[in-house]
Amino acid sequence: MVEYIKQPLIKANTVESRIYQQVLAADVLKRGNTMIVAPTALGKTIIAVLLAADRLNKFKSSKILILAPSKPLTIQHEESFRTFLNASSTSITGAIKTDEREKRWNESQIICATPQTVESDLLNRRYSLKDVSLVVFDECHHAVGSYAYVYLSARYINEGKIPLILGLTASPGSDSEKIKSVCENLYIENIAIKSEEDSDVKPYFNPIEIDWIKIKMSKELNKIKKHLDKALKHRLKMLKNLGVISTISLGKRDILKARGLIQNRIARLSNPPKECYRAISLITAVINIQHSLELLETQGINPVNQYFEKLRTKTTKASKSLLTDPDFSIAIRLTRRAIKHGWEHPKLKKLMDILKEELNIKDQEKPKIIVFTQFRDTLNMIHEKCEEEGINSIKFYGQGVSNGGKGLTQKEQKQIIKSFKVGNHDVLISTSVAEEGIDIPSVDLVVLYEPVPSEIRMIQRRGRTGRKKRGKMKVLITEATRDEGYYWSSSRKESIMKNQLINVFKDMNLDELKPVKSKIIERTEEDIKKILNYDNEKNKKPKKEKVMVYADSRESNSKVLRALDNLSVEIQIRTMTIGDYQVSDDVIIERKTAKDFVDSIVDKRLYKQARSMKEGFKKPIMILEGDDFYTGFLNPDAIRGSIASIAIDFGIPIIPTRSSDDTAAMIKRIAIREQSNNEKSEIQIRTEKKPINTWEQQQFIVESLPNIGPVTAKKLLKKFATVQNIINATESQLQEVDGIGKKSARDIVSLLSEKYLYFNDENKNKKLV
């Protein structure tokens, strides 16, 4: 196996020669599609590097695709492969423009990407997977449900000429059904499990010391908890009296199950009794109280106070009943009092003590510490406390908006990690975004502000330490609270995970996993040339009847698009102001699932959409997908009335479908009917509303020029007065306008003076002047 390290594609002195990594890589090449389960510190990335080197050496014109669930992890993989291999590497994420993504794909051998971005590009036919010789699914436990990994693996197996799949994860979970699902969705034929206990791993693994620190709640917090418990118990008794539940000792999962049963009852009855709606309101209040208790017990005063403030802004019956409840009101007052006096959860003080102790140990280099917490509000609270205590910390969280606060950009995330690595900060305070794969070497201590009930997340967090030397992890647990339940839950799940993996794989019938098995077989050089010669007439498939569907960009994560692609429908994703799918100049289709349909009734969006469809198209159609339209909070008669109004008042046909696959099949059938007798090869897409006023039309035309936005368009019109004058302007004249540089001016003049080249299937390279 030393031959891998000697391969010219691997840069000298960059890859440590670990026997178990080379054995695992060889095993993948021998056995086919493989999932490797191993702790974070065991170097799963190096196994992918060894495989990539082998595949590129064997199939020189092929590509390697590395998929990761987050942008930071994608960028990290790009840097790793660029460090280890003498091959052109790049990254593709949603932050990169489509033209640049296509260029990067075509010009690179190794592409590191987020799955949603690749999925979108494949659906838009920007490139294909046919010449990809290896796809690595990092954090492959995500390959369930509607996650993009599921579609991409199926697409790769069906489209790739020389496919090989490698799945990497620290833990696929303890649920046997989920493990089976991941294996089936990734076409796995072999599972390799490695742990720190294996004899060939021990020399490279540093043990991790775990310290579970139990903390008692303060008197002030217990007083608040007492009143919240009373408010909760009161509502649980009412639900029991209504016959909704049989006991008041129920957890959140049981309450959600009870809510589902009530919703189903409402759906079945044409005139549900008032008690059903009363029960729904009580259940909502119970969920609110349970969340308040979780924040109080596991997070602290500030997070629960912020949640109380959010409840005050809501206008639902459940929130109003809570705010008028004597016990809940007392809990709110006590919380405000605690804020006023600066009383905090004992966890916060204990955390500060731990950080100070670790950072002030003499005769040692300052350690790097990660503090994990579940909520961004708690993260902000910990950061503020660190600043008060003089602890040099920095916050790290996701890109999404949370409670009105903006997320970090990809660039900001990268800068924070880099700053932490080089020692500008001693403590990184992070939400779950740093659990998966983020490269933060030499972390000496991981602190969990609260346990997590997921064994996957616990393993991932623990894997942040112990890479270069003995690691430490401390977990803060509030006694007699949900913290203890979460601790026991994750411990139990982790203990059974390995046995589940082994048993599941033994029970699996590999021949029945998927209809298409991997194509990893020994081939001669002549066979390889034939496989990779895609222009060979023998490999060309007969031309099929083209069916085109335009989809709105908001449907990009929809299962319908994947189903349409599997039905060989050509898809073009556009930003559309009306409808979700357009199949001709006349036909627009609005697709609504049960939740979307109910939401559009509540926010009064439904009738506006119907009116726009009717005014903009001769043949508008609405598809209602699913069979659970009456299981929500809305009265069934309100839903029936809305359906009747769409069909009668607006005259829009309604087509029911059972699932996303059924919806896709229906859209294809409608497209075939519309396009079979239509000689037009192009469909006019309503991507935006047409300007009405003259000045709007003028600005609309100018904004279509290269690199010209609304602000610059106005400046141009003010400078030149007319569109005609802008068209006739020279490069130097255009550069007189603020915001237009030499390149932009050159691009504008070039576009306006360039002859029109029209391409279609019949007339390639025909010039129309």
Side-chain angles (χ1 to χ4, degrees):
M1 284 306 301
V2 180
E3 59 182 336
Y4 282 104
I5 305 301
K6 291 182 178 179
Q7 282 185 5
L9 283 174
I10 297 181
K11 294 180 180 179
N13 303 317
T14 59
V15 177
E16 181 183 4
S17 178
R18 296 185 182 181
I19 298 301
Y20 71 84
Q21 291 171 332
Q22 298 184 38
V23 170
L24 285 170
D27 200 44
V28 175
L29 294 171
K30 179 181 178 181
R31 296 176 180 271
N33 300 342
T34 299
M35 176 168 68
I36 294 178
V37 183
T40 304
L42 265 60
K44 296 187 289 294
T45 300
I46 298 301
I47 300 169
V49 168
L50 296 174
L51 285 171
D54 182 270
R55 300 297 279 178
L56 289 176
N57 185 56
K58 185 177 292 184
F59 308 109
K60 293 179 172 57
S61 61
S62 69
K63 297 180 184 295
I64 306 296
L65 177 59
I66 315 295
L67 295 168
S70 67
K71 292 179 183 178
L73 187 50
T74 297
I75 301 302
Q76 176 186 308
H77 281 313
E78 179 192 7
E79 293 172 351
S80 297
F81 277 83
R82 187 173 284 132
T83 299
F84 294 132
L85 294 181
N86 288 308
S88 55
S89 302
T90 191
S91 61
I92 292 177
T93 69
I96 301 167
K97 292 182 179 179
T98 53
D99 290 345
E100 176 63 19
R101 295 205 300 262
E102 189 172 352
K103 180 183 177 184
R104 290 187 182 190
W105 180 278
N106 293 329
E107 295 179 353
S108 303
Q109 292 174 284
I110 298 174
I111 300 102
C112 304
T114 49
Q116 296 85 355
T117 307
V118 175
E119 178 185 43
S120 175
D121 288 346
L122 290 174
L123 290 171
N124 276 288
R125 304 295 196 272
R126 295 191 181 101
Y127 44 77
S128 75
L129 301 176
K130 63 182 181 181
D131 56 351
V132 174
S133 60
L134 171 68
V135 175
V136 178
F137 292 88
D138 197 13
E139 309 294 350
C140 67
H141 52 270
H142 288 288
V144 292
S146 60
Y147 194 70
Y149 275 4
V150 180
Y151 166 78
L152 291 176
S153 60
R155 174 81 177 247
Y156 178 51
I157 288 295
N158 290 324
E159 189 173 273
K161 300 296 181 181
I162 40 174
L164 177 61
I165 287 174
L166 174 65
L168 302 175
T169 181
S171 168
S174 60
D175 185 283
S176 60
E177 290 304 314
K178 182 184 177 182
I179 296 172
K180 285 182 180 179
S181 180
V182 170
C183 290
E184 290 178 353
N185 291 336
L186 294 183
Y187 301 83
I188 295 301
E189 299 169 304
N190 179 48
I191 296 178
I193 307 168
K194 280 290 174 184
S195 74
E196 57 269 26
E197 300 299 323
D198 294 338
S199 58
D200 53 351
V201 171
K202 277 187 177 181
Y204 305 99
F205 188 82
N206 296 301
I208 299 172
E209 176 188 327
I210 303 177
D211 187 12
W212 305 91
I213 302 172
K214 293 193 174 183
I215 300 166
K216 292 184 178 179
M217 285 184 68
S218 64
K219 293 179 180 178
E220 293 79 17
L221 267 67
N222 269 318
K223 286 180 182 178
I224 300 171
K225 182 178 183 302
K226 180 181 176 182
H227 288 286
L228 289 176
D229 283 335
K230 283 184 178 180
L232 177 63
K233 189 175 181 180
H234 174 63
R235 280 159 180 78
L236 289 173
K237 282 184 175 179
M238 292 174 72
L239 286 171
K240 185 179 178 181
N241 292 336
L242 287 171
V244 176
I245 57 177
S246 57
T247 175
I248 62 173
S249 301
L250 294 176
K252 188 174 180 179
R253 182 178 296 180
D254 297 314
I255 291 298
L256 293 175
K257 185 178 179 181
R259 184 177 67 177
L261 293 173
I262 294 297
Q263 289 175 337
N264 287 332
R265 187 181 178 191
I266 292 173
R268 291 195 305 268
L269 303 174
S270 59
N271 187 24
K274 293 180 180 180
E275 287 77 9
C276 287
Y277 297 103
R278 173 65 174 154
I280 289 292
S281 181
L282 285 169
I283 288 173
T284 303
V286 165
I287 293 171
N288 292 149
I289 299 172
Q290 287 178 332
H291 186 63
S292 301
L293 280 165
E294 180 179 359
L295 290 174
L296 179 71
E297 294 174 352
T298 69
Q299 307 301 306
I301 293 294
N302 279 291
V304 75
N305 183 61
Q306 290 173 7
Y307 184 65
F308 287 156
E309 292 300 317
K310 290 172 196 171
L311 284 178
R312 289 173 63 86
T313 63
K314 294 185 177 181
T315 58
T316 62
K317 289 183 179 179
S319 60
K320 288 179 179 178
S321 71
L322 284 176
L323 296 173
T324 56
D325 181 279
D327 283 300
F328 199 84
S329 298
I330 293 172
I332 292 175
R333 287 200 300 273
L334 290 173
T335 301
R336 289 175 178 170
R337 182 186 173 197
I339 293 286
K340 183 179 179 180
H341 288 277
W343 297 331
E344 298 161 338
H345 197 295
K347 270 188 181 182
L348 192 58
K349 183 181 183 303
K350 185 63 179 178
L351 174 61
M352 294 302 113
D353 292 341
I354 291 170
L355 297 181
K356 287 178 183 178
E357 182 182 350
E358 291 292 328
L359 293 170
N360 294 327
I361 296 176
K362 294 181 179 180
D363 302 325
Q364 75 163 29
E365 185 180 341
K366 267 198 173 182
K368 283 186 171 61
I369 303 172
I370 298 180
V371 176
F372 279 107
T373 186
Q374 185 174 352
F375 301 101
R376 200 179 292 182
D377 288 342
T378 309
L379 180 144
N380 292 328
M381 177 187 70
I382 295 172
H383 180 63
E384 289 174 8
K385 191 65 176 177
C386 283
E387 288 186 330
E388 289 177 15
E389 299 289 339
I391 296 172
N392 185 6
S393 66
I394 189 168
K395 298 185 292 183
F396 186 71
Y397 46 91
Q399 299 179 29
V401 176
S402 176
N403 301 329
K406 290 184 179 179
L408 294 171
T409 65
Q410 180 182 338
K411 184 178 180 181
E412 288 171 333
Q413 288 180 329
K414 194 173 180 180
Q415 288 173 341
I416 290 169
I417 294 299
K418 184 177 180 181
S419 180
F420 180 64
K421 281 183 183 179
V422 300
N424 293 336
H425 304 278
D426 301 321
V427 180
L428 182 77
I429 310 168
S430 177
T431 56
S432 59
V433 70
E435 289 175 351
E436 289 189 337
I438 301 297
D439 185 19
I440 311 172
S442 302
V443 172
D444 303 283
L445 172 66
V446 171
V447 183
L448 307 192
Y449 194 73
E450 70 281 302
V452 287
S454 165
E455 78 287 357
I456 295 177
R457 296 176 63 193
M458 186 66 81
I459 291 170
Q460 288 170 333
R461 291 184 177 192
R462 189 172 66 225
R464 300 299 98 203
T465 186
R467 296 191 175 191
K468 295 293 179 73
K469 57 183 179 180
R470 180 182 290 268
K472 293 189 293 184
M473 184 171 82
K474 296 180 184 291
V475 186
L476 306 183
I477 303 175
T478 312
E479 290 183 353
T481 68
R482 285 160 177 76
D483 274 353
E484 287 193 341
Y486 290 163
Y487 158 65
W488 288 112
S489 175
S490 63
S491 298
R492 180 182 58 81
K493 289 177 181 177
E494 187 175 343
S495 67
I496 66 173
M497 182 194 67
K498 185 181 290 188
N499 290 333
Q500 284 280 35
L501 266 173
I502 296 170
N503 293 335
V504 165
F505 192 62
K506 283 181 179 178
D507 294 340
M508 285 168 62
N509 184 347
L510 295 177
D511 293 328
E512 296 178 357
L513 281 181
K514 289 287 182 180
V516 182
K517 296 267 287 178
S518 73
K519 307 165 188 176
I520 312 304
I521 58 174
E522 293 296 328
R523 295 186 174 99
T524 65
E525 289 296 321
E526 188 64 29
D527 290 333
I528 294 170
K529 287 179 181 178
K530 287 180 180 179
I531 290 169
L532 297 178
N533 181 16
Y534 300 121
D535 293 327
N536 192 309
E537 289 297 327
K538 293 180 180 180
N539 290 333
K540 286 185 178 179
K541 295 180 180 179
K543 189 174 181 181
K544 295 181 180 179
E545 182 183 6
K546 184 172 73 173
V547 179
M548 172 69 76
V549 171
Y550 286 87
D552 181 49
S553 56
R554 288 166 293 186
E555 288 283 297
S556 57
N557 291 325
S558 165
K559 291 182 181 180
V560 174
L561 285 188
R562 302 173 188 177
L564 284 169
D565 184 66
N566 291 333
L567 292 172
S568 300
V569 173
E570 188 170 340
I571 303 165
Q572 291 290 330
I573 298 177
R574 296 286 188 271
T575 301
M576 299 163 58
T577 55
I578 302 174
D580 295 320
Y581 300 92
Q582 188 175 340
V583 300
S584 70
D585 287 346
D586 296 335
V587 175
I588 189 72
I589 301 170
E590 176 74 23
R591 169 209 176 218
K592 287 197 178 295
T593 60
K595 183 180 185 304
D596 185 31
F597 188 74
V598 171
D599 288 346
S600 65
I601 295 172
V602 173
D603 61 22
K604 301 178 181 179
R605 176 168 36 98
L606 179 64
Y607 299 128
K608 291 180 182 178
Q609 291 174 325
R611 190 173 295 108
S612 297
M613 290 170 66
K614 192 66 178 177
E615 292 173 354
F617 291 85
K618 292 181 180 178
K619 305 174 185 176
I621 295 172
M622 185 170 289
I623 288 179
L624 298 186
E625 180 184 302
D627 55 4
D628 54 351
F629 281 80
Y630 303 108
T631 59
F633 296 108
L634 208 60
N635 190 306
D637 281 341
I639 296 173
R640 296 183 185 103
S642 298
I643 293 174
S645 177
I646 295 298
I648 298 172
D649 298 338
F650 292 94
I652 297 177
I654 294 175
I655 300 177
T657 59
R658 296 167 297 175
S659 62
S660 54
D661 289 338
D662 193 20
T663 297
M666 180 58 70
I667 291 173
K668 180 180 179 181
R669 183 52 47 189
I670 295 170
I672 290 173
R673 285 179 60 88
E674 281 295 297
Q675 295 169 20
S676 59
N677 297 322
N678 189 355
E679 296 181 358
K680 285 181 63 177
S681 59
E682 298 180 16
I683 300 172
Q684 184 65 40
I685 301 302
R686 313 289 174 85
T687 57
E688 54 185 288
K689 294 179 181 178
K690 291 184 178 180
I692 301 173
N693 302 320
T694 300
W695 69 267
E696 288 180 321
Q697 292 175 334
Q698 291 169 329
Q699 187 174 322
F700 180 77
I701 293 170
V702 177
E703 283 180 33
S704 67
L705 296 173
N707 306 316
I708 302 299
V711 175
T712 309
K714 290 177 183 177
K715 290 179 181 179
L716 281 166
L717 286 165
K718 288 179 180 178
K719 169 73 175 175
F720 294 99
T722 69
V723 175
Q724 184 66 51
N725 289 341
I726 295 172
I727 293 173
N728 293 331
T730 63
E731 288 185 28
S732 59
Q733 289 173 328
L734 289 171
Q735 290 179 59
E736 293 176 7
V737 176
D738 182 35
I740 297 183
K742 187 175 181 180
K743 184 180 182 301
S744 294
R746 184 172 63 249
D747 290 345
I748 292 170
V749 172
S750 174
L751 176 70
L752 294 173
S753 60
E754 186 74 26
K755 288 184 178 180
Y756 174 52
L757 299 178
Y758 175 71
F759 296 93
N760 62 22
D761 293 336
E762 290 76 27
N763 302 300
K764 293 290 183 184
N765 301 323
K766 181 183 287 186
K767 295 185 178 181
L768 300 181
V769 182

